[in-house]
Every structure is written in structure tokens, then in C-alpha cells.
Amino acid sequence: VVGKGHERMNLFTPGPVDMSREAQQAIGRPGLCHHRSEPFRRMMSKLTTLLQAAFLTRGEVVILTSSGTGAMEAAVANLFSSGDKVLVPVSGKFSLRWAEICEAYGVNTARIEIAPGKAPEPDDVVSALEADPAICAVLLTHCETSTGSLTDLEAICRAIHDLELLRSREILIIADCITSLCVDVLRVDDWGIDCAVAASQKGLLSPPGLAFVSLGDRALKRVRTAESPRYYFDFRKYLHTEIPFTPAIPLVSATLASLSHLAGLGPEPVWRANRSGALAIKLLIQAAGMRPVAERQASGVVAFWTGDLDAAEIAHSLEREHGITVAQGQGGLKGRILRVSPIGKGPGALLGFAAAFSSVLEKMSREVDMSSIETELNRLLEDCSIWE
Ligand SMILES: *Cc1c(COP(=O)(O)O)cnc(C)c1O
């Protein structure tokens, strides 16, 4: 499964990830389906329904032509007005992005600084909200992809909703679920997330270029009243009407094909497969004497300290000798960590990665004791066989 050459499927990066077979077949089909045609309208409607099922929401889902960051910016532009006050826990590069976007729109942004590898906890969020009654929203990051840290969204949402009742306040919850949709357990309506953002190139195993925003009733009300300037990404243009601008038609077909397949597998097996894939990678790096960065491990990516071994050298050898692409650290973590994503990877691909990783480390005089983890690894890989 793992080998040299570009024809092989070897992206172990936390986005984009290798496309599903279904997405590949759809993207390879010749001809375009015109976006003002009945067949395309049916495709958009099916994709919307599947996205609602994936987010587990009965709210609206807006489909945008952009990468994930575009949808994050769109959420801020549509939900807030300049001068509104919001809270952003910052625990890495992606949660920082929420703060930067809010600031670009003149939204008054209170930050909670959190050490890399840690996630915001309910108490952190509640204390910050109690300290400032003017805060009207919290922007969270479900999987902080720079560290592989999973935020306990369910617990934080519950704490915020309790506070809302206690203090008769409305506090909107916006969540970046870009690396968690169809990867980690996510229940938008049950947890009371007003607005969740996702993209095509991670858990949906589709090409990059589409982004999705779920909007509950309270968020929809804000969309109507927010005063931030917006045009292309004005959600009012997308709601209850046909897509306003020429969409990335092939990406709609590819994402529809891939998400239909995922829906057929069912949410629980998909969550379990990605979770077990992440635990398999974690087991492997621990057998190599390395430590994961995250305290609470997300399923979308495992980030780990390479210790006295040079992270860049490991990444280059994996690429050059085995055709495997992994991600390096960003910002202050560059050269010190590697990030490997198990999203959509079956037992063959994961064993291929394990063999390549061990071989690269052996050349750097580091032994990986595979025999000590064999039983546990095989047990985890069974869950991943849905991908083969
Ligand atoms: C990938 C990712 C993004 C979006 O990145 P784009 O390159 O704009 O698609 C945002 N947040 C998180 C947590 C991500 O993993």
C-alpha cells in the first residue's frame, strides 16, 4: 500500500488527506453538470441533507466554495458586528486563527492563553465568561490540528449553557470542527453548538475547496442582525435559495460521493476507525520512545515530540525513501514535532507507515520495539478495516 511514486496514496498529513475511492471516481468523471440544472439542484440538496446528518443537526447548512478558513471568516462576518465582545481560548495555531479573524473584523476579542498540547477546560471558559458579562460568544476549536489536542466540546458547551440559564445571558457557541467532522464524536444539536464549521479535505476524504457552516436558530437570528460587511460570503444569499454563485461543481460531486459512502458506513464505525487509527499511531511512536504532544488525543492527527532526533530529517526520509508525506510542526514547534494523520487509513496503510517509520528511525540508530505492541496494534487495526 505504501510505496514510491505519485500514483500511490500516501498523504498522512492532517489535511488534505488522501481522497476516498468514491471521491476519486467522481472527480475523474468527464463533463460538468451545469449549476442551474435540475440534476445539480438535486446534488446540492442531497449534499445538504448528508451534511446535516454528519453534523447531527436539524439546523441549516451553508455550502461555500473556499477552504476551511474562508468558512471561519464567513462565520465571524455573519454572526458579529464591530464592537461585539467574544472569547477565544488560544491553544495553538488554529485556535489563534479565530482570534485573528475576529480582530480583523473589529470584534473585541478576549483570549485565554493555553499551553500547547493542553485544551481549554470548562472552568477556564466559565471563569472568563463570569469575569466579563459583555462577552456574547465563545469560539472554540474541536481538534487543535497544530498539537492533536481534542477539546471536550460537550463538557464546555454544557458549562456554557448552565451559565446562560444561571445569569440569563445568551452566549453563542461557534466551533471549528474542520478536523473533527466525521473524525471525532460530534453532536451539534445535542451539545448545543450554534455554529459549526467544516471543510471537504479532512474527515470527508474529499479534495480541498468546499467548506460548510451549520447554523442553529440563534445563529440564524444573528445572521439577520449582524452588521459586519460581507458580500460573497453573506449567508443570507445562500439560505432558502439556490446557490448564488458558480460553485466548484466537480468538488460538489466528489464530496457528495464520498459523504454518501461515509453515511453508508455509519457514524459510529467511522469515528471508531479514525480513533483506533490515531491510537495505533500513538502506540507506534511510544514504542519508538517518543511522547505525544496532546494530553487529550484527537483522532484527526497525532503530534509527537521527536526528542533528540531531528523532526525535519525524519519527515524528509519518509518522503524520499518511502513516498510518505507527514506534517512538521508550525511556529515554535517547527523541527521539534511531527504530525501524522490516520484519517481514512486502513490496516495496510497503517502497517506500511509503521514499517517505513521503523526503518527510517533504525537508520538514525533508534530501535522501535514492534513485538511489544503487536497484539494491541492488531486489535486497533481491526477497527480500521472499514477503509479497505
Ligand atoms: C485544516 C484546518 C483549518 C483550515 O485550513 P484551510 O487550509 O483553510 O482549509 C482550520 N482549522 C483547523 C483546526 C484545521 O485543522
Side-chain angles (χ1 to χ4, degrees):
V1 174
V2 172
K4 289 173 192 169
H6 299 291
E7 78 282 6
R8 301 298 184 95
M9 306 261 295
N10 285 313
L11 291 180
F12 283 81
T13 44
V17 307
D18 285 322
M19 286 185 272
S20 61
R21 255 186 305 271
E22 291 72 20
Q24 288 177 62
Q25 280 161 3
I27 203 91
R29 254 176 246 140
L32 283 176
C33 175
H34 195 278
H35 65 290
R36 303 282 175 229
S37 69
E38 215 30 65
F40 190 77
R41 279 182 203 113
R42 277 199 298 275
M43 276 172 43
M44 284 296 280
S45 147
K46 260 196 232 159
L47 181 57
T48 306
T49 305
L50 286 169
L51 285 164
Q52 286 166 322
F55 278 117
L56 287 169
T57 183
R58 300 158 71 121
E60 303 283 344
V61 174
V62 171
I63 299 172
L64 302 171
T65 306
S66 84
S67 81
T69 308
M72 293 170 74
E73 172 156 355
V76 170
N78 280 276
L79 296 175
F80 304 119
S81 309
S82 169
D84 281 350
K85 187 147 198 192
V86 303
L87 179 68
V88 181
V90 175
S91 56
K93 187 183 148 156
F94 289 96
S95 38
L96 174 65
R97 192 168 292 176
W98 272 137
E100 290 174 346
I101 294 170
C102 288
E103 281 155 11
Y105 278 82
V107 175
N108 195 342
T109 308
R111 300 183 187 195
I112 312 175
E113 301 291 341
I114 291 150
K118 295 197 188 290
E121 297 300 331
D123 285 350
D124 303 332
V125 174
V126 166
S127 317
L129 289 171
E130 286 279 35
D132 192 341
I135 293 172
C136 71
V138 182
L139 294 97
L140 297 157
T141 305
H142 195 190
C143 164
E144 170 54 70
T145 313
S146 64
T147 63
S149 173
L150 183 71
T151 299
D152 189 348
L153 264 189
E154 184 179 14
I156 294 182
C157 289
R158 196 184 307 120
I160 294 174
H161 294 313
D162 286 348
L163 183 78
E164 286 186 295
L165 279 177
L166 186 70
R167 302 281 179 230
S168 304
R169 278 168 76 176
E170 181 176 284
I171 301 158
L172 229 60
I173 302 177
I174 295 108
D176 171 348
C177 299
I178 295 175
T179 318
S180 67
L181 182 70
C182 295
V183 180
D184 270 307
V185 179
L186 170 66
R187 302 179 186 278
V188 165
D189 283 0
D190 283 357
W191 296 353
I193 299 170
D194 296 287
C195 170
V197 172
S200 51
Q201 80 274 25
K202 309 216 175 162
L204 305 193
L205 309 173
S206 300
L210 290 184
F212 318 107
V213 184
S214 84
L215 297 162
D217 288 340
R218 300 197 309 181
L220 287 166
K221 213 159 61 191
R222 299 277 184 109
V223 169
R224 290 192 290 272
T225 56
E227 289 165 4
S228 289
R230 55 207 137 126
Y231 185 86
Y232 186 74
F233 287 132
D234 188 337
F235 292 162
R236 290 169 296 191
K237 291 189 171 77
Y238 295 77
L239 292 163
H240 318 295
T241 173
E242 191 165 291
I243 193 152
F245 310 109
T246 314
I249 297 166
L251 301 188
V252 172
S253 323
T255 308
L256 176 58
S258 201
L259 191 51
S260 302
H261 177 65
L262 293 177
L265 294 171
E268 311 278 348
V270 167
W271 290 331
R272 196 180 317 119
N274 285 319
R275 166 117 307 242
S276 292
L279 294 178
I281 291 169
K282 187 170 156 184
L283 199 64
L284 176 70
I285 62 106
Q286 285 172 324
M290 295 172 176
R291 275 187 311 114
V293 177
E295 248 169 37
R296 193 188 293 113
Q297 182 61 57
S299 302
V301 60
V302 179
F304 54 95
W305 303 102
T306 54
D308 50 351
L309 298 185
D310 181 23
E313 191 183 334
I314 299 173
H316 290 146
S317 299
L318 283 170
E319 179 89 50
R320 239 186 359 256
E321 291 156 30
H322 304 275
I324 287 176
T325 310
V326 299
Q328 300 199 41
Q330 299 151 302
L333 298 173
K334 205 169 164 60
R336 302 165 64 208
I337 69 165
L338 287 177
R339 296 177 301 136
V340 178
S341 172
I343 298 176
K345 296 289 187 281
L350 288 165
L351 284 172
F353 176 80
F357 186 70
S358 314
S359 146
V360 164
L361 290 203
E362 228 163 79
K363 287 189 185 150
M364 298 169 89
S365 311
R366 172 72 58 93
E367 209 62 49
V368 185
D369 183 7
M370 291 296 291
S371 62
S372 68
I373 61 169
E374 199 182 324
T375 314
E376 176 70 355
L377 188 63
N378 286 333
R379 193 187 62 74
L380 290 168
L381 292 184
E382 262 173 45
D383 293 335
C384 308
S385 58
I386 66 160
W387 301 127
E388 290 193 337

